[in-house]
Amino acid sequence: MKTNIINKPDMKLAANRQKDATVFSYLNLDKFDAIKSLVKGLKYFIKTYGCQANVRDEETMRGLLENAGYLPTENVENADLIIINTCAVRENAEDKVYGEIGNIKYLRKHNKNLILAICGCMVEEPEILQRLLDVYKEVNLFFGTHEISELYSLLYTCLTKQERVIAVESKPGEVIEGLPVCRNNSFKAFVNVMYGCDKFCTYCIVPYTRGKERSRRFVDVIRECQTLVDSGYQEITLLGQNVNAYGKDLNEGKDFADLLEEVAKLGIPRLRFTTSHPWDFSSKMIDVIAKYDNIMKFIHLPVQSGNDEILRKMGRRYNREQYLALVKEMRRKIPSLTLSTDIIVGFPNESEEEFLDTVSLVDEVKYEAAFTFIYSPRKGTPAARLKDNVPYEVKSQRFIELVKHLEKHIEEYSNSLLGKVYPVLVDGPSKNNPDLLSGYTESNKIVHFKGSKDLIGKIINVRINESHTYSLLGEIVDE
Ligand code: 5AD
Ligand code: SF4
């Protein structure tokens, strides 16, 4: 099959950050009418890995596909278009994708017209893309995070020519408004407030895969949130790699605190946001969170390490003392606050003492939730070029040790909820036991309880009867 290279990624271009104004752009409708007649009634299947940004991208792709006439299918074997939406943040996320493609590539033998596509963060990394191109000859479309709005013309090429299409342009990126959306959930929604990341933490691939920090206009975010409120949504999560940077690239005189306040005033029952970099988390933001009952008192505040030297090598822009001061201010102004974090153990050459600083920080902050990762070198990032003297077994041991400390605090927090009643937004049947329902407290704890399926999408009161470290068991009460 002929290869049609529209663009290939380049890490140097991907790292380019000129102080250009944010560019606003539109959906490429070039081939929209042409593909409508070609795809009517065809079925698509999307499998998404990784973070909420990818989940939200899937919703946009579903919107685009369904507008053109594609129908969704849950059965990958029936699909005429399969899209694997990938994550490159750690090697294990990458390995899952290799496994998935391995499992489905045979489908092209049965259906020569099948379009098998890979998109998302993995294809943005030149060496990963090359490996995918070399090993998975069955895959006939590769597109990057910046090409979602080009989907119609890319599909048109695949549908009309026997070509393998590669469209991955490394660029700062635009803000594209007016994209259709087909949401995965009818009562909880993600709303992008900004895209990309300019922090360039030395271990992280995201600034290369998702481009420069760029904000949506204030009115566009508010309009999307208002539509959700009007259609009865119960929860909105404002999304960005670092929402605190919202507005810095626009000349609107608005920051994230202003945006959060304005969305809270729309009256959505539950408002969340993620993720926040500690470096530009302002006091103004803390005050807004404290002021509005419908802003959930739950903050995800990745610390990554508790040691100043490691934080410096990670390029995190804060030290331990500054992070702890921020936590102190948050806990003082928001007494019911629950805090969650991300931590990386085994950054190159991390010493035992440096690791123990992370343990002591965990014991000081007493997080209510946490995600812990073993450092995974990402090609093209500065940290991946460092020689590392820490054996993997040592990193694993440290990981186990750290999780022990985190779990002690998480368990204490879970136990403190026993016997009390909390509002829970009912999510759906419990994943492990279909006889139970599951939902989340305002503090983002999952609770399982008995109840009617009619309650899905509603906020109800639940008394907590049993606590397990990561989940709770309860019963509905009429209060
Ligand atoms: N190795 C391990 N963890 C990583 N993260 C980001 N990059 C890496 C990496 N190379 C973690 C950080 C980040 C979270 C989303 O993923 O903790 O906050
Ligand atoms: Fe990666 Fe750091 Fe940006 Fe988060 S803030 S996406 S860890 S570079």
Side-chain angles (χ1 to χ4, degrees):
M1 197 189 299
K2 204 182 125 200
T3 303
N4 175 356
I5 303 174
I6 300 171
N7 294 105
K8 270 195 169 182
D10 174 314
M11 291 294 267
K12 274 218 178 77
L13 290 177
N16 184 11
R17 293 293 186 275
Q18 276 155 0
K19 286 280 161 232
D20 296 341
T22 294
V23 177
F24 288 86
S25 190
Y26 300 94
L27 173 62
N28 178 354
L29 279 170
D30 240 13
K31 293 288 185 281
F32 180 59
D33 288 327
I35 82 160
K36 269 203 298 199
S37 56
L38 295 174
V39 306
K40 196 166 184 297
L42 293 187
K43 298 198 179 66
Y44 77 91
F45 175 95
I46 305 183
K47 171 86 183 173
T48 292
Y49 294 88
C51 67
Q52 290 100 330
N54 265 17
V55 174
R56 186 62 188 76
D57 281 350
E58 173 187 322
E59 294 183 332
T60 300
M61 290 191 273
R62 283 164 21 81
L64 289 165
L65 296 174
E66 294 189 20
N67 272 7
Y70 272 105
L71 301 171
T73 175
E74 303 263 307
N75 181 354
V76 69
E77 300 193 358
N78 287 342
D80 305 283
L81 166 65
I82 301 172
I83 300 179
I84 314 286
N85 187 15
T86 64
C87 168
V89 82
R90 281 173 298 276
E91 195 175 352
N92 53 2
E94 211 185 301
D95 288 341
K96 281 190 207 151
V97 168
Y98 296 129
E100 177 79 19
I101 312 168
N103 286 339
I104 57 169
K105 61 181 187 185
Y106 76 93
L107 291 170
R108 251 180 83 81
K109 282 207 184 83
H110 304 299
N111 180 359
K112 286 279 173 260
N113 295 321
L114 174 69
I115 299 177
L116 183 49
I118 304 184
C119 68
C121 287
M122 270 171 74
V123 299
E124 297 278 347
E125 209 284 338
E127 291 187 33
I128 301 180
L129 175 63
Q130 197 53 52
R131 175 173 174 191
L132 291 167
L133 288 168
D134 293 343
V135 178
Y136 301 102
K137 302 282 184 212
E138 299 82 359
V139 180
N140 51 346
L141 173 59
F142 298 84
F143 62 99
T145 59
H146 300 297
E147 279 79 17
I148 291 175
S149 62
E150 304 289 324
L151 202 52
Y152 292 143
S153 76
L154 295 172
L155 288 174
Y156 181 79
T157 310
C158 293
L159 287 159
T160 54
K161 295 181 189 156
Q162 283 298 311
E163 284 180 357
R164 196 179 202 210
V165 181
I166 302 155
V168 189
E169 186 179 3
S170 297
K171 59 178 181 179
E174 298 133 4
V175 171
I176 299 169
E177 292 297 342
L179 291 171
V181 56
C182 180
R183 295 193 187 270
N184 289 332
N185 190 302
S186 59
F187 51 91
K188 295 202 302 193
F190 292 130
V191 173
N192 288 315
V193 303
M194 58 182 309
Y195 306 95
C197 181
D198 287 356
K199 295 292 174 288
F200 287 98
C201 300
T202 57
Y203 51 82
C204 186
I205 194 79
V206 170
Y208 307 86
T209 64
R210 289 205 164 260
K212 87 164 187 127
E213 279 178 359
R214 51 210 193 274
S215 309
R216 292 179 70 196
R217 279 178 293 235
F218 200 81
V219 288
D220 291 326
V221 177
I222 297 297
R223 195 178 300 125
E224 184 173 340
C225 293
Q226 182 67 61
T227 310
L228 292 163
V229 173
D230 294 345
S231 19
Y233 272 77
Q234 298 295 303
E235 180 175 296
I236 289 176
T237 303
L238 302 178
L239 276 190
Q241 298 305 331
N242 172 26
V243 292
N244 313 5
Y246 176 80
K248 291 182 182 175
D249 56 316
L250 302 177
N251 285 325
E252 296 192 318
K254 308 268 196 195
D255 59 19
F256 186 66
D258 298 323
L259 185 67
L260 196 60
E261 177 155 29
E262 208 57 31
V263 179
K265 282 189 195 160
L266 300 177
I268 186 82
R270 288 184 170 199
L271 178 55
R272 302 183 186 275
F273 58 91
T274 198
T275 294
S276 294
H277 190 294
W279 180 69
D280 42 12
F281 204 116
S282 66
S283 295
K284 186 175 162 193
M285 268 173 69
I286 302 176
D287 294 340
V288 169
I289 299 164
K291 186 171 162 193
Y292 291 88
D293 284 346
N294 60 344
I295 303 181
M296 299 297 97
K297 308 297 180 257
F298 170 87
I299 298 176
H300 183 59
L301 195 68
V303 66
Q304 312 299 1
S305 165
N307 174 270
D308 284 349
E309 187 54 19
I310 295 288
L311 286 170
R312 193 186 61 73
K313 289 183 183 157
M314 287 177 163
R316 289 292 289 177
R317 306 170 188 220
Y318 56 83
N319 59 27
R320 177 188 175 104
E321 194 186 319
Q322 288 163 326
Y323 183 90
L324 288 173
L326 177 62
V327 167
K328 206 165 157 198
E329 182 184 351
M330 288 175 171
R331 294 243 199 238
R332 180 170 57 79
K333 289 181 171 168
I334 314 171
S336 61
L337 182 71
T338 56
L339 266 178
S340 121
T341 199
D342 289 341
I343 299 175
I344 297 177
V345 296
F347 188 79
N349 307 314
E350 180 190 57
S351 70
E352 189 62 21
E353 292 71 41
E354 288 168 337
F355 164 68
L356 289 174
D357 280 345
T358 302
V359 176
S360 77
L361 179 128
V362 159
D363 288 340
E364 197 166 335
V365 177
K366 300 188 171 60
Y367 292 102
E368 283 83 4
F371 300 92
T372 319
F373 311 104
I374 293 181
Y375 168 74
S376 167
R378 303 286 73 204
K379 276 242 163 60
T381 61
R385 291 192 279 275
L386 297 171
K387 231 174 116 46
D388 189 359
N389 65 15
V390 190
Y392 194 79
E393 303 74 65
V394 173
K395 298 189 187 207
S396 299
Q397 273 311 314
R398 287 182 188 165
F399 179 87
I400 294 167
E401 176 70 13
L402 185 67
V403 169
K404 248 194 254 163
H405 283 257
L406 285 162
E407 285 191 343
K408 184 170 145 264
H409 304 301
I410 296 169
E411 203 173 308
E412 268 170 27
Y413 168 64
S414 299
N415 287 338
S416 76
L417 306 177
L418 281 171
K420 301 190 186 116
V421 175
Y422 293 94
V424 167
L425 173 54
V426 186
D427 231 24
S430 155
K431 294 221 167 74
N432 298 327
N433 180 353
D435 294 337
L436 295 179
L437 294 173
S438 298
Y440 287 88
T441 64
E442 297 194 343
S443 63
N444 219 24
K445 268 293 212 201
I446 190 161
V447 192
H448 308 291
F449 49 90
K450 275 214 175 86
S452 146
K453 295 211 166 50
D454 301 342
L455 296 172
I456 294 170
K458 299 205 167 71
I459 295 173
I460 53 156
N461 285 318
V462 176
R463 178 179 295 113
I464 309 304
N465 295 332
E466 248 183 71
S467 121
H468 302 268
T469 311
Y470 294 106
S471 66
L472 304 164
L473 277 181
E475 63 184 323
I476 298 176
V477 291
D478 302 317
E479 278 181 29

